[in-house]
Structure formats: structure tokens, C-alpha cells
């Protein structure tokens, strides 16, 4: 049976975070919202549709890469507990579960997500396919203060789907530091990252009608949960490549002057000028050396690096960096 520990308490906390993020982001210049709020039940379903689109290469690239290297990852980690941050439907997770199960080490799978619907999909996918493995969902925002569940080690923490790239540089540093602080010496971290490539390929992966509906879904969520009165038809979806930052931005552009009222935020009135944009997601693309430097700054060492033949996508396996040996006299 699918249950979440402290479901009501966590839901109230996440609701408070949504209100705070909406107030701060919609009154900022430029306007922006954290991408985690895209993933309610509708958003999670839309994202699963996106992963099946032919232009959305990250999903297929990561799936093929995991198929090729899961056995090596299982051999390197011998994980007894698999903790997944942001599992989605956990369709790719089965590749790692298969490899770890084949080695006879895996006993527990812990999906952690801000979306209860995503946790439900992950639970359904794994509990039915692997009845001998315990599935323990955790409803939490792992992009803030991350407390890794206490479980049997060694543990493998995985964050796939390019989720790391949805965080701004300072957020990534805080996230990686938070993960590192929760890892024991025998634990490991696996990151799936999209790599820098021809910008036209990247933009095409985020510029379609389904992705537009996914981006606009955050407005529908604000309407439903915060009593806003966004007219979704008055906003158009944009996918913009920032060459300096090396990331893709999803934005919503207002098609006319409009003022939106959010009753759930004490009647906060938010004005959009015609052409004004609201950023709904950042998707950073990485270079291997840069990723290794970010890991090192958090006290992690990249122990294995896997990439697709076309260099579109990579997987980084990292471990807590051992302390430097004491100098000899």
C-alpha cells in the first residue's frame, strides 16, 4: 500500500513554500518561479509525455547510457539501499534496480520527491515489479535542506533526468554540499547531466506544444492553489538559450498588459507589461571538467564518468572525497 510518512505535515510545509516562492518570484525583476512547482499531478503527467517526444533527447540518451553502464555502477557500489531524488515515473530506475538485484545487494528503494503523484508512479512501478524490495516513498523538497533517510548501507543516491541542471549555481553548490553531508564513506552519488552541445539541438528539445503546456501548468497551479486568475491563453511559451551561462531557459511571455490577482496571497496584484516574461525553468548544460570541479568543491570525488557516443549526455558517479593523508615527517 502506498503511504507517505508525515504526508499532511509535509504538504502544509510545501504549501507555505509555494506561497513564499510565488510572492518573491512574481514581485521580482525579472519575474521567476522555481521549476519544482511545475510538478503537480498534471505537470508530472505532462512531463512523462515530454519524455516520449522524439525531439526530447535527454530521456532516450540517459536510458541508453544506463542500459550500458548499470552493471558497472552496481559492481562499483554494491548498494543495499537506492535513494532516488526526483524519480518521476522511475522508468529508468529499473535498469539500476535490475543490476543491483542481479548482484544480490539491493533491499530498499527510497524515492524522494516534492510531488506526491510522482511518488505514486514510482511506487507503482517498483513495488509491483520487485515485490522482494521494500519501497519507502518520502515526500520532501530535496532541493532545500536534504536529510537522507537513514537506511542500510552502502547507499547509492541517484539524481537523474538532468535535475541538477534545474538548480542555479549557488543552489547546486548548496544541494551537493547537503548530499555530501549525509553520505557515509561507503555511500555514492550518481548524477545524470545534459552536456553542452549545438544550441539548436537543445532549444528544439524544449520548444513544442507539450512543453508549452507543461510550462503554463505552473500558472494553472497558482490559479488552483493560490486563488490566482491567470488567463493561460494570454501567455506564450519560449525556449531561450543563454550562451554565457550555458543553460536553457523556459519562459512565459505576456501577450498583453495584464494584472493578475492572487487571493491566496492576501490579494497580491501582479502586473505584466505586454512582452514581459516569467522564467519557469532553467536547464543548465555541463562540461565534464566543470562538473568535477563543482563536485570537488562539495567534498565529492568523481570516480567514474560515462557518456553517450555522441557526447550528448553523461553520468557521473561520485564518492565522498577521502581526507588528504597526513604529511610525512
Amino acid at each position: 500500500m502506498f503511504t507517505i510518512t508525515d504526508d499532511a505535515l509535509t504538504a502544509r510545509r510545501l504549501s507555505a513554500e509555494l506561497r513564499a516562492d510565488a510572492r518573491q518570484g512574481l514581485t521580482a525583476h525579472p519575474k521567476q518561479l522555481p521549476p519544482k512547482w511545475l510538478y503537480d499531478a498534471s505537470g508530472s503527467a505532462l512531463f512523462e509525455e515530454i519524455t516520449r517526444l522524439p525531439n526530447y533527447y535527454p530521456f532516450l540518451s540517459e536510458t541508453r547510457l544506463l542500459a550500458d553502464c548499470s552493471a558497472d555502477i552496481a559492481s562499483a557500489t554494491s548498494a543495499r539501499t537506492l535513494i532516488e531524488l526526483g524519480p518521476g515515473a522511475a522508468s529508468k530506475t529499473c535498469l539500476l534496480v535490475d543490476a543491483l538485484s542481479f548482484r544480490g545487494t539491493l533491499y530498499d528503494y527510497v524515492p524522494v520527491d516534492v510531488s506526491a503523484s510522482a511518488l505514486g508512479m514510482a511506487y507503482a512501478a517498483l513495488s509491483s515489479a520487485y515485490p522482494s524490495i521494500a519501497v519507502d516513498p518520502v515526500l520532501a523538497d530535496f532541493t532545500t535542506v536534504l536529510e537522507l533517510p537513514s537506511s542500510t548501507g552502502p547507499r547509492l543516491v541517484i539524481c537523474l533526468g538532468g535535475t541538477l541542471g534545474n538548480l542555479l549555481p549557488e543552489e547546486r553548490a548548496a544541494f551537493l554540499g547537503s548530499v555530501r553531508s549525509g553520505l557515509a564513506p561507503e555511500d555514492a552519488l550518481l548524477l545524470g547531466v545534459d552536456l553542452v552541445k549545438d544550441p539548436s539541438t537543445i532549444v528544439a528539445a524544449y520548444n513544442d506544444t507539450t512543453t508549452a503546456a507543461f510550462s503554463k501548468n505552473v500558472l494553472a497551479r497558482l490559479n488552483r492553489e493560490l486563488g490566482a486568475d491567470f488567463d493561460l491563453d494570454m501567455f506564450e511559451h519560449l525556449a531561450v538559450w543563454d550562451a554565457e551561462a550555458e543553460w536553457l531557459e523556459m519562459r512565459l511571455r505576456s501577450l498583453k498588459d495584464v494584472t493578475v490577482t492572487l487571493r491566496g496571497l492576501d490579494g497580491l496584484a501582479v502586473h505584466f507589461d505586454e512582452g514581459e516574461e516569467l522564467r519557469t525553468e532553467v536547464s543548465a548544460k555541463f562540461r565534464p571538467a566543470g562538473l568535477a570541479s563543482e563536485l570537488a568543491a562539495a567534498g565529492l570525488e568523481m570516480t567514474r564518468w560515462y557518456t553517450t557516443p555522441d557526447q550528448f549526455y553523461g553520468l557521473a558517479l561520485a564518492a565522498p572525497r577521502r581526507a588528504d593523508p597526513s604529511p610525512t615527517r
Side-chain angles (χ1 to χ4, degrees):
M1 180 179 178
F2 173 54
T3 57
I4 302 174
T5 303
D6 294 333
D7 187 3
L9 177 62
T10 304
R12 287 196 297 272
R13 185 171 67 247
L14 292 175
S15 178
E17 290 179 13
L18 173 60
R19 292 195 299 272
D21 285 345
R23 184 181 295 275
Q24 179 178 351
L26 293 175
T27 57
H29 301 282
K31 294 179 173 66
Q32 56 191 293
L33 291 171
K36 64 187 178 185
W37 302 121
L38 294 165
Y39 294 92
D40 61 356
S42 297
S44 295
L46 283 167
F47 184 72
E48 289 307 311
E49 289 184 34
I50 290 170
T51 63
R52 295 189 289 270
L53 296 176
N55 59 300
Y56 192 72
Y57 66 85
F59 181 84
L60 184 58
S61 295
E62 188 174 60
T63 301
R64 289 174 174 171
L65 190 54
L66 280 169
D68 290 341
C69 66
S70 284
D72 190 65
I73 294 169
S75 176
T77 62
S78 297
R80 293 172 64 87
T81 298
L82 182 64
I83 301 173
E84 183 165 18
L85 308 179
S91 53
K92 293 169 292 188
T93 312
C94 295
L95 297 166
L96 281 169
V97 173
D98 283 340
L100 289 165
S101 298
F102 181 77
R103 290 188 62 83
T105 63
L106 186 64
Y107 288 89
D108 195 15
Y109 170 65
V110 183
V112 183
D113 205 288
V114 72
S115 169
S117 62
L119 289 175
M121 288 190 290
Y123 180 87
L126 273 294
S127 62
S128 59
Y130 305 94
S132 63
I133 296 173
V135 181
D136 300 306
V138 176
L139 182 67
D141 180 5
F142 60 83
T143 66
T144 55
V145 178
L146 174 65
E147 295 182 7
L148 292 178
S150 58
S151 47
T152 306
R155 300 175 299 173
L156 174 59
V157 180
I158 64 174
C159 186
L160 304 176
T163 299
L164 184 69
N166 295 147
L167 304 177
L168 299 174
E170 61 274 17
E171 295 170 335
R172 291 201 303 268
F175 167 72
L176 292 173
S178 182
V179 173
R180 170 62 188 92
S181 68
L183 294 180
E186 70 272 16
D187 295 338
L189 170 67
L190 181 69
L191 294 171
V193 293
D194 199 4
L195 302 179
V196 175
K197 62 186 72 64
D198 185 339
S200 64
T201 300
I202 297 171
V203 171
Y206 296 82
N207 199 20
D208 55 77
T209 56
T210 307
T211 304
F214 174 62
S215 187
K216 287 185 180 185
N217 182 65
V218 75
L219 304 184
R221 182 171 190 176
L222 295 180
N223 284 351
R224 184 178 65 255
E225 298 187 26
L226 296 184
D229 56 1
F230 282 98
D231 181 347
L232 275 59
D233 291 335
M234 290 298 101
F235 291 83
E236 64 176 346
H237 166 74
L238 302 175
V240 180
W241 174 249
D242 185 323
E244 182 177 356
E246 293 190 322
W247 66 40
L248 186 286
E249 293 192 6
M250 292 196 331
R251 304 177 189 170
L252 295 174
R253 176 187 290 165
S254 179
L255 297 176
K256 65 175 186 178
D257 286 356
V258 62
T259 298
V260 178
T261 302
L262 293 92
R263 297 190 306 277
L265 292 180
D266 303 317
L268 176 69
V270 178
H271 182 76
F272 286 83
D273 292 329
E274 181 178 352
E276 187 175 359
E277 296 171 356
L278 165 67
R279 188 175 73 190
T280 61
E281 182 177 275
V282 163
S283 182
K285 310 307 171 185
F286 293 85
R287 299 180 187 272
L291 179 60
S293 294
E294 291 191 40
L295 289 168
L300 293 158
E301 179 182 6
M302 189 188 296
T303 58
R304 279 174 167 78
W305 172 249
Y306 312 91
T307 188
T308 54
D310 57 12
Q311 306 294 306
F312 271 24
Y313 203 88
L315 287 169
L317 186 65
R321 191 173 56 203
R322 290 186 185 359
D324 292 334
S326 300
T328 56
R329 294 183 181 272

